[in-house]
Amino acid sequence: FAGGMAMVNGISAFFFLEESNHNRNTDIFKYNPVRPLIRAYNTVPMRSLYLKWFLFCMAFVVVQTIFALFAQKAFGYDSFQTGILFTIIGVVIAINQTLLLNKFCVKRFTNHQLELVMLGLVIIGLLLSASQNLIAFFVSLPFIGTSQAVYRVVVANDAIQKADPKMKGEVMGIIAS
């Protein structure tokens, strides 16, 4: 059912939405999935951004991979309770991206300042969560959720600002993957 809904959504978007990227590359399309990665590596101004994003994502991949095992071993949580913890993190992310980001973060801080603050928050959050203290673990959840929500937007914004206008879609694809 979900696949069918996604297909209907994609077809509707194709027919009813206007193209918003007027600076797009209209050259003949030859698809080679390795080429964008090579171009990304060769784009020196973007290289550090890609590396920071890769390391940040890898940290969260590792956390999400072992989170359930850690919660079970450290606190005796089962799959339902672990799901509740992931839900709490998801709610914190949603609140941050819908309320806190526009009304507080973007107005008071630069992208660079936000990046540093969010990296600090994720370090504090991960250290608190690894302490095996239940109170520290629950205190860490907003730190982890906030840093994940805001850092993702900051990196995407930074990437778009640094990208060549004809390569913005490719850059966002690399950031998203």
Side-chain angles (χ1 to χ4, degrees):
F1 178 76
M5 292 298 291
M7 186 172 74
V8 168
N9 190 19
I11 291 170
S12 299
F14 180 77
F15 286 111
F16 297 116
L17 293 178
E18 273 186 47
E19 175 60 54
S20 61
N21 184 4
H22 301 292
N23 297 320
R24 68 181 181 188
N25 188 351
T26 57
D27 295 341
I28 296 174
F29 183 69
K30 295 178 185 173
Y31 182 69
N32 180 347
V34 178
R35 234 181 240 154
L37 297 175
I38 293 170
R39 263 195 307 272
Y41 178 77
N42 290 332
T43 308
V44 176
M46 301 290 284
R47 197 179 296 166
S48 65
L49 183 85
Y50 290 140
L51 181 63
K52 287 186 285 190
W53 182 242
F54 175 76
L55 293 174
F56 187 81
C57 287
M58 286 306 295
F60 276 99
V61 165
V62 170
V63 166
Q64 290 177 352
T65 302
I66 63 169
F67 188 81
L69 297 172
F70 174 76
Q72 181 183 21
K73 180 146 177 76
F75 309 117
Y77 286 0
D78 61 9
S79 60
F80 178 77
Q81 292 164 319
T82 303
I84 296 292
L85 295 175
F86 273 120
T87 302
I88 291 169
I89 292 173
V91 168
V92 169
I93 289 171
I95 289 170
N96 274 293
Q97 287 185 340
T98 56
L99 300 174
L100 186 65
L101 187 64
N102 285 329
K103 296 185 189 313
F104 180 74
C105 293
V106 174
K107 291 182 180 179
R108 293 199 166 98
F109 301 103
T110 66
N111 271 0
H112 182 68
Q113 290 170 329
L114 280 174
E115 184 179 345
L116 294 176
V117 168
M118 293 308 127
L119 287 174
L121 283 180
V122 76
I123 290 168
I124 292 167
L126 292 176
L127 288 174
L128 283 173
S129 68
S131 70
Q132 296 187 353
N133 178 311
L134 190 59
I135 294 170
F137 184 73
F138 279 108
V139 168
S140 76
L141 296 180
F143 286 100
I144 292 170
T146 300
S147 63
Q148 193 174 6
V150 177
Y151 192 76
R152 180 182 318 262
V153 174
V154 168
V155 169
N157 186 22
D158 216 13
I160 285 296
Q161 288 177 358
K162 290 180 180 177
D164 180 276
K166 292 185 178 184
M167 303 302 288
K168 287 185 181 197
E170 184 176 296
V171 169
M172 287 311 298
I174 291 168
I175 292 291
S177 63

